[in-house]
Every structure is written in C-alpha cells, then in structure tokens.
Amino acid sequence: MSAPMPDDRSFQVLEVVPSRLEVSPERPRRRWSTQAKMALVEETLEPGANVSVIARQAGISPAQLFGWRRKAMQAGVVQGERHEQRLGFVEVTPTSASMIEIVVADVVVRVAADIDQNHLIKVLRAVRQA
C-alpha cells in the first residue's frame, strides 16, 4: 500500500548523486605488464592447457585471458596450436577387414570401418587429451 498523499498535494524532489557501489571496496585497477600478459598467453598455448584454470590462478577472469590471447593471435605475436598438429583425415575405403587401427602416440584405437566421421573426431581428441 502506498503512503497517504498530503492534503496540499505537494511533493518533494529527492536529489541523489550516484557514487561507486558503496558495498564494494575501492581498489585500484591492476596494470599488467606486456611480459606478464605474454607469459600467461604462452602458458595457455601449451598442449592440454586449460585457459580458465590458468586465469583463475593468476587472479583474473577467464574472459580477460581469452581476450589477451585473441589479441595476441590477431597481432601475430603468438600462433595458436603451435605445439599440436591439426587432425587430418584421409579417405578410407573399407576392405575385407571391418576394423581400422589408428595409432596415436602409444595408444591404438580400433574402430569399425563405417564409423561416423564426427564420432571419430571426438574419440581421437579424447585420446590426445588423455
């Protein structure tokens, strides 16, 4: 229920001046040196690196680190996937054998000759990350 209206129908104007959120502490913005940014970005390019974990360990948001990495790649300062080879596929024609063996490092993956290409990609990526 609203407050009763005064008889003279007058109103008051409240003047509010917004300031920084009063509940959050005042902290100066951190300034990251180029060397520190590059060290973090290069760490994200290592095989099996988890960008979100690296960012949280450094005390920054994952979005910030992804942004630094994207800018570094666009500027040509670093190259993505420099340590890993891209997956490539060749046309496989089934023969009398119904199994295909794929060797990835010290792991042998045996799949049916008629496996779906997208499923095979997922399996090979899982093997490479393990």
Side-chain angles (χ1 to χ4, degrees):
M1 199 169 215
S2 63
M5 187 73 154
D7 289 334
D8 62 356
R9 300 277 187 199
S10 63
F11 62 93
Q12 297 176 347
V13 176
L14 298 176
E15 187 174 324
V16 178
V17 179
S19 63
R20 180 144 168 47
L21 293 175
E22 295 173 7
V23 293
S24 67
E26 287 279 339
R27 283 191 282 172
R29 291 182 64 181
R30 270 196 298 188
R31 302 288 181 198
W32 290 85
S33 67
T34 304
Q35 293 82 11
K37 288 180 184 180
M38 289 310 300
L40 288 171
V41 167
E42 287 179 1
E43 189 177 344
T44 66
L45 298 174
E46 295 296 323
N50 185 326
V51 178
S52 296
V53 170
I54 294 168
R56 288 187 189 103
Q57 288 172 347
I60 60 175
S61 73
Q64 180 69 57
L65 186 52
F66 275 111
W68 289 347
R69 188 171 79 160
R70 184 183 64 248
K71 287 179 183 177
M73 287 181 182
Q74 288 173 347
V77 177
V78 295
Q79 293 180 357
E81 301 177 6
R82 62 178 179 182
H83 295 289
E84 56 186 74
Q85 298 173 352
R86 295 192 59 85
L87 289 176
F89 289 93
V90 295
E91 187 68 33
V92 175
T93 54
T95 59
S96 60
S98 62
M99 296 295 280
I100 299 172
E101 283 190 3
I102 302 171
V103 179
V104 178
D106 59 342
V107 177
V108 177
V109 178
R110 291 184 182 95
V111 295
D114 59 348
I115 188 170
D116 179 56
Q117 181 177 351
N118 292 330
H119 185 68
L120 181 58
I121 290 171
K122 291 176 186 175
V123 169
L124 292 176
R125 284 188 178 148
V127 168
R128 287 180 60 200
Q129 290 178 350

